[in-house]
Amino acid sequence: MLVLRRASLRFSTKLNSALIGCPRSTRWHATTPEEELGETCSVTFVSPDGEKTVCTARENQTLLEIAKDNEVPLEGACEAAVACSTCHVILPEDQFEELEELFPLSDREEDMLDLAPGVTDFSRLGCQVRLKKCVEGMEVKLPAYTRNFAVDGFVPQSH
């Protein structure tokens, strides 16, 4: 059943690309258009063992995009379609509410977080939270592990 589902997703991407004349490799969910990017900001990802990776990014990029651009091991198996919890991150308590006001938690995201191991009151999906200047320098914690229900071990590559 999973194979059929993945095949149908692949088909729909090809079909959408053909209909509007874009290359097949275009990722609809995972990349913020250049014209929407703002000023340069920084964010720090903290691995489960405490290792910190300081990343320079631009406003409006998602935490998942920033992680991918900086080789931070945040999976994002569904390519930001809110169909998994592999980009689960833990936001700083003092900045969580401000980010939630800017990017409200959807029912779909909440459902995916219910599947995430190690979820906290300050958990979000990295594909749903965008960087803003008001949270400059925030430290985002990565959970100890994630579960990829679609394909165990699959890690999508950036294009």
Side-chain angles (χ1 to χ4, degrees):
M1 189 65 161
L2 288 175
V3 174
L4 292 174
R5 183 167 183 252
R6 288 183 58 77
S8 66
L9 288 173
R10 201 174 2 238
F11 173 75
S12 67
T13 301
K14 289 178 185 176
L15 180 62
N16 287 340
S17 297
L19 290 174
I20 58 175
C22 294
R24 280 190 344 196
S25 63
T26 301
R27 298 290 182 215
W28 295 106
H29 300 286
T31 307
T32 303
E34 181 68 29
E35 61 272 6
E36 292 181 19
L37 297 176
E39 296 180 41
T40 302
C41 304
S42 70
V43 63
T44 302
F45 289 94
V46 182
S47 70
D49 62 1
E51 182 181 331
K52 294 183 179 186
T53 305
V54 179
C55 304
T56 301
R58 293 184 53 199
E59 275 190 295
N60 295 322
Q61 278 188 293
T62 65
L63 295 177
L64 178 60
E65 288 176 300
I66 297 165
K68 293 287 184 199
D69 290 348
N70 291 278
E71 298 180 6
V72 173
L74 191 60
E75 189 173 348
C78 71
E79 298 180 6
V82 195
C84 73
S85 62
T86 60
C87 65
H88 168 220
V89 295
I90 302 165
L91 300 176
E93 185 176 340
D94 59 334
Q95 294 167 322
F96 180 82
E97 285 184 32
E98 187 170 9
L99 285 167
E100 190 159 29
E101 283 180 29
L102 292 168
F103 312 105
L105 186 72
S106 68
D107 290 342
R108 192 168 175 187
E109 181 181 1
E110 203 168 335
D111 290 345
M112 289 300 107
L113 283 170
D114 286 343
L115 302 173
V119 73
T120 72
D121 290 340
F122 308 105
S123 291
R124 291 293 304 265
L125 296 181
C127 65
Q128 298 302 299
V129 177
R130 295 183 179 278
L131 186 62
K132 290 293 182 185
K133 198 72 171 168
C134 61
V135 292
E136 170 80 33
M138 80 171 162
E139 289 192 354
V140 177
K141 293 180 185 172
L142 302 179
Y145 64 98
T146 62
R147 280 190 210 119
N148 183 339
F149 292 105
V151 182
D152 194 28
F154 173 72
V155 179
Q157 301 298 315
S158 297
H159 296 280

